Amino acid sequence: MTQPIIGVTMQPAEGRQQINNGYINSILAAGGIPLCIPNDTPIDAVINLIDGLLVIGGDDIDPRFFNEDPHAGLGHVDPKRDDSDLNAVKHAIVRELPLLAICRGEQVLNVAFGGSLYQDIPAQWPNAIQHKQQSARDTQIHAVDVVAQSKLASIVGTRIRTNSFHHQSVKDVHAPLVVSATTSDGVIEAIEHEDMPFCIGVQWHPEELKDEASQKLFRAFVEACE
């Protein structure tokens, strides 16, 4: 069987573009072949080369993409990267390619469908639990409750523990996306497309975890790309 090729977005950083090894290793372990897609790559030139798309984490999203002014707590933004990621997601959706979106990637997925974000959880979500942990990246810091009838639940179950490295989160969600997981404080931790066989966004970083749920998520994604 031919191994599926997974397109992977990248993070620009001071004259270079980069990607954490966790994304690459998780795709390889699940049986896929990663193909890194630098920002500003003409996505229509490579979309036919890939069998699925992984949208990785990174900096904040410029709030102009969801028609808001910048909140005082907004971090670093890169509108060119936002454009690139949004364009990649939209092309993948049109092609009905399997799509896994992680952390910032989940937020990009939501914005691509007209949704909005909380720009700074500590300032905009009273009584929030800790969502930007100080612990090691492979430490599971809080629980996530997964909607029982969701695609995500069919893969990982209805309650898991995850790591957490975000200060922004999904706010308004528009059809055909639906909420598929939350934390105890009500912050949205996962969304998915109701009609596509595999289109899931998660707020945590499964590529940094070695638990069974994270491995199942990557295996299900890569299998959907076969």
Side-chain angles (χ1 to χ4, degrees):
M1 180 181 296
T2 303
Q3 292 176 277
I5 297 175
I6 312 299
V8 188
T9 61
M10 299 183 73
Q11 164 75 36
E14 297 181 357
R16 64 186 186 278
Q17 297 200 31
Q18 61 190 26
I19 182 170
N20 291 344
N21 285 336
Y23 298 110
I24 301 301
N25 293 338
S26 294
I27 291 171
L28 291 170
I33 301 296
L35 175 65
C36 294
I37 304 174
N39 288 216
D40 297 329
T41 299
I43 192 63
D44 54 350
V46 299
I47 196 72
N48 291 326
L49 303 177
I50 62 176
D51 302 301
L53 179 68
L54 173 64
V55 188
I56 71 168
D59 294 331
D60 290 356
I61 298 173
D62 190 329
R64 72 180 176 87
F65 288 99
F66 47 96
N67 300 313
E68 289 187 10
D69 288 328
H71 186 276
L74 181 70
H76 179 264
V77 298
D78 183 342
K80 289 181 67 176
R81 185 196 178 188
D82 297 336
D83 267 326
S84 180
D85 282 2
L86 286 164
N87 198 27
V89 166
K90 290 173 181 177
H91 272 74
I93 296 296
V94 169
R95 281 280 315 281
E96 296 187 340
L97 292 178
L99 190 153
L100 177 61
I102 292 176
C103 198
R104 166 197 158 89
E106 181 211 26
Q107 297 164 13
V108 170
L109 175 61
N110 191 54
V111 171
F113 280 92
S116 61
L117 306 177
Y118 289 103
Q119 295 185 47
D120 186 50
I121 292 172
Q124 296 179 296
W125 194 277
N127 303 313
I129 64 172
Q130 185 183 70
H131 287 277
K132 195 168 186 178
Q133 70 188 58
Q134 303 303 310
S135 310
R137 294 186 67 81
D138 61 354
T139 300
Q140 295 166 305
I141 198 71
H142 63 56
V144 169
D145 293 308
V146 185
V147 175
Q149 301 304 315
S150 65
K151 174 72 172 180
L152 182 60
S154 73
I155 299 168
V156 304
T158 57
R159 189 172 176 84
I160 58 175
R161 291 192 65 82
T162 70
N163 52 11
S164 189
F165 300 97
H166 62 107
H167 83 110
Q168 296 197 316
S169 67
V170 168
K171 184 165 61 174
D172 297 316
V173 178
H174 296 167
L177 297 181
V178 294
V179 175
S180 52
T182 58
T183 38
S184 60
D185 57 3
V187 167
I188 294 171
E189 286 284 325
I191 57 176
E192 58 187 59
H193 194 295
E194 285 192 293
D195 303 322
M196 290 181 62
F198 197 106
C199 179
I200 295 174
V202 298
Q203 188 59 73
W204 63 94
H205 280 269
E207 81 284 358
E208 300 287 353
L209 301 173
K210 306 302 179 187
D211 64 315
E212 185 178 5
S214 299
Q215 294 173 22
K216 283 182 175 179
L217 181 58
F218 270 96
R219 282 200 300 268
F221 171 50
V222 172
E223 287 173 4
C225 299
E226 293 177 347

